[in-house]
Amino acid sequence: MLDLKTVRKDPDPALAALARRKDGSQDRLAEALQLDERRREILPRSEQISAEQNAANDAIAQAKRDGADASDAIAKMKEIAAEGKALKAELAEVEERLATVMGQVPNPPDPSAADEDTEISRWGEPLPEGRDHIELAGHLIDMEAGARVAGSRFAYLKGDLVRLELAIVQFMMDKLGGQGFTPVIPPVLVRERALYGTGFLPDTEQQIYRLADDDLYLTGTSEVALASLHDGEILDEADLPLRYAGFSPCFRREAGAAGRDTVGIFRVHQFEKVEMFVFCSPEQGLEEHERILGIEESVMQDLQIPYRVVNIAVDDLGSSAAKKYDIEAWLPSQKQYRELTSCSNTTDFQARRLGIRVRGEGGSPRTAHTLNGTATALGRTIIAILENHQQPNGMVRLPEVLQKYGAPAEIGEK
RNA sequence: GGAGAGGUGGCGGAGUGGCUGAACGCACUCGCCUGCUAAGCGAGUAUGGGGUUUAUAGCUCCAUCGAGGGUUCGAAUCCCUCCCUCUCCGCCA
């Protein structure tokens, strides 16, 4: 959500930035500005009436206290109230429309966000080709049972793959703990407000599972619950940045993805993820974004997975991000880089929607900034590890760093 | 799932229709005072929005007592719905 007060003073930068998204959002902002103007036409008149009402009210109260006859004052009050009623109804309507339109305006992209997906760096030496994760560990992934029990794009992970996943999680929590992140297991069922606040609604409803009998949604990322952890709060600037590492399952309907990535667990309806989330001051945002990216790269290097970093195109940012980096891992079986993690600077977009502010020494509150990034998406990380550490004999030698966290040294069908 | 109680400012806690943006206490800030400390005295201390303004300063108006509706000339106070917290019973990982 944009700050109308700021935009109103100088609309052009926001309109120009939104135009880069090529989704017509600058038109919605323009509509919002018109509604805002209308609102500020009506509001002073409405408030004027309220003030008269308050004054008349005081007169009635005074008369009653003095034991005098208040019927004249009451009659006047009735008149004023009736006059204000229509105006207030109109105001409420304008404000409701304004809120709806503003809720649909995405975050204006940062100037440094790319026009097209742009590779900005590369690391590691990719294998030219190789077996896919099903060929390598299919005996530990039961897609048939998954489909039978829950439908397509569900799987059972078994045996050493589970040990591998849990080792990665423990490794991540250790690593992130050292970087000031507090481990969190958040709710994965949330109210609409949490999804609205993070900008997933109204925007990506077709991706979100909703419960039939309760007003709850299954979250596609713990970002939703982590952002809402401080819903409505004013944070002490001295405590910032607040960094959380959420570990949770993630649920995505993958509507519209039919026919894409149908092999194995690359694209499934349910997976686990460790997610970084940061609350910080406006000044700290840029630095935190680079820091999160640095951590994500460091994880790839720890796990010895060749990757590239991509500055994501403005028209692919999602509503909340002003800028986003993806880290794409090399998958030898596909002979291409595929998204493994991403990190977004959502600036004040989510914080304003959620009413999260920061207050410094003696200052008045300002809207906070938030950022998020994938520490590790377990399914895809497992795929990348399997494919990039495969041996000519079909076995997989797992990264040494994971072994002290309980991962086996080797996976495969002997 | 059943039965109750309750949600007021940073905290505690008054307030059952007008004099309450909100008593009183605590905490905090500034000043005074006491050769330190403590105590004491005085003043102040919410958030959002509109207008005015070069101004996020000041002034002024409006709104806010969990949220949203309603009754009323007037609601923290009465009614309805929702959310949340707590207690007891049941169930349960």
Side-chain angles (χ1 to χ4, degrees):
Chain A
M1 178 101 58
L2 281 74
D3 178 28
L4 256 181
K5 249 172 154 174
T6 307
V7 176
R8 181 193 295 151
K9 271 184 219 155
D10 186 15
D12 291 341
L15 289 167
L18 286 171
R20 292 184 67 207
R21 283 181 173 267
K22 293 175 229 147
D23 59 358
S25 54
Q26 79 274 22
D27 298 336
R28 287 199 289 280
L29 181 58
E31 187 189 348
L33 286 167
Q34 284 183 353
L35 287 165
D36 174 55
E37 205 172 314
R38 181 90 188 102
R39 169 173 180 266
R40 285 182 305 127
E41 265 170 40
I42 303 168
L43 189 60
R45 282 157 51 205
S46 166
E47 288 189 347
Q48 174 65 31
I49 288 170
S50 293
E52 284 172 27
Q53 232 168 320
N54 288 341
N57 200 17
D58 287 346
I60 296 170
Q62 188 61 47
K64 291 268 185 188
R65 253 172 283 138
D66 295 346
D69 177 29
S71 52
D72 282 358
I74 288 175
K76 188 182 173 206
M77 186 75 171
K78 271 184 170 158
E79 204 178 301
I80 296 169
E83 190 188 339
K85 202 170 178 186
L87 202 55
K88 280 174 184 165
E90 191 185 354
L91 180 65
E93 194 186 317
V94 169
E95 288 187 333
E96 193 186 327
R97 277 173 58 207
L98 178 59
T100 301
V101 174
M102 279 305 284
Q104 291 169 347
V105 176
N107 205 351
D110 186 84
S112 67
D115 285 317
E116 304 294 337
D117 285 354
T118 306
E119 179 178 312
I120 57 178
S121 68
R122 222 176 246 236
W123 183 91
E125 286 171 38
L127 288 172
E129 58 182 5
R131 299 173 169 92
D132 71 27
H133 68 281
I134 294 296
E135 293 172 305
L136 292 162
H139 61 298
L140 300 174
I141 302 172
D142 195 337
M143 301 301 297
E144 289 75 25
R148 197 187 325 123
V149 172
S152 65
R153 295 195 191 279
F154 284 94
Y156 284 79
L157 240 57
K158 300 191 291 194
D160 278 347
L161 280 190
V162 174
R163 291 191 183 88
L164 171 59
E165 167 157 335
L166 295 175
I168 297 169
V169 172
Q170 286 286 40
F171 161 68
M172 284 309 317
M173 285 306 182
D174 253 21
K175 186 177 177 84
L176 293 176
Q179 298 286 330
F181 287 81
T182 303
V184 177
I185 294 180
V188 294
L189 283 169
V190 301
R191 291 218 181 87
E192 184 177 353
R193 171 168 169 84
L195 284 159
Y196 173 83
T198 40
F200 289 97
L201 290 177
D203 183 36
T204 62
E205 38 276 281
Q206 61 161 18
Q207 282 292 2
I208 305 171
Y209 286 102
R210 184 172 57 200
L211 299 203
D213 293 332
D214 299 275
D215 290 329
L216 292 171
Y217 299 80
L218 278 164
T219 55
T221 164
S222 53
E223 171 192 346
V224 175
L226 291 175
S228 301
L229 182 56
H230 294 297
D231 185 345
E233 293 183 23
I234 299 178
L235 307 171
D236 187 341
E237 212 160 316
D239 299 334
L240 302 179
L242 292 173
R243 302 189 179 101
Y244 297 100
F247 173 50
S248 79
C250 305
F251 303 91
R252 300 185 181 183
R253 294 186 65 229
E254 297 297 344
R260 273 162 47 198
D261 303 312
T262 51
V263 175
I265 58 168
F266 187 84
R267 187 180 298 278
V268 284
H269 291 305
Q270 178 190 333
F271 60 95
E272 288 74 48
K273 183 155 66 78
V274 177
E275 177 83 359
M276 296 177 271
F277 197 91
V278 175
F279 298 87
C280 66
S281 72
E283 292 74 26
Q284 293 168 324
L286 283 180
E287 190 187 326
E288 284 297 317
H289 195 202
E290 298 301 322
R291 193 168 179 273
I292 289 171
L293 176 63
I295 292 170
E296 292 186 356
E297 287 198 58
S298 164
V299 171
M300 290 296 173
Q301 294 175 16
D302 289 336
L303 300 178
Q304 294 285 300
I305 299 170
Y307 67 89
R308 63 175 191 169
V309 179
V310 178
N311 183 353
I312 293 299
V314 286
D315 50 1
D316 199 24
L317 284 177
S319 73
S320 65
K323 185 177 183 181
K324 175 153 89 174
Y325 297 114
D326 276 9
I327 290 188
E328 299 181 345
W330 176 256
L331 294 187
S333 72
Q334 298 187 20
K335 299 188 178 66
Q336 60 175 332
Y337 288 95
R338 297 301 306 271
E339 179 183 348
L340 219 60
T341 67
S342 79
C343 56
S344 299
N345 185 354
T346 51
T347 63
D348 60 0
F349 183 84
Q350 296 179 331
R352 182 164 293 108
R353 289 164 91 96
L354 287 166
I356 301 169
R357 290 167 293 172
V358 302
R359 182 181 353 236
E361 194 70 26
S364 53
R366 300 181 292 160
T367 301
H369 277 216
T370 60
L371 303 97
N372 66 82
T374 320
T376 176
L378 273 313
R380 291 191 181 184
T381 301
I382 288 170
I383 290 171
I385 288 173
L386 293 174
E387 292 206 8
N388 285 289
H389 295 284
Q390 61 180 292
Q391 307 299 310
N393 65 354
M395 298 297 288
V396 176
R397 210 171 285 157
L398 296 179
E400 212 162 309
V401 70
L402 296 177
Q403 283 165 30
K404 73 167 171 176
Y405 294 101
E410 208 174 41
I411 279 183
E413 226 166 355
K414 293 231 167 72

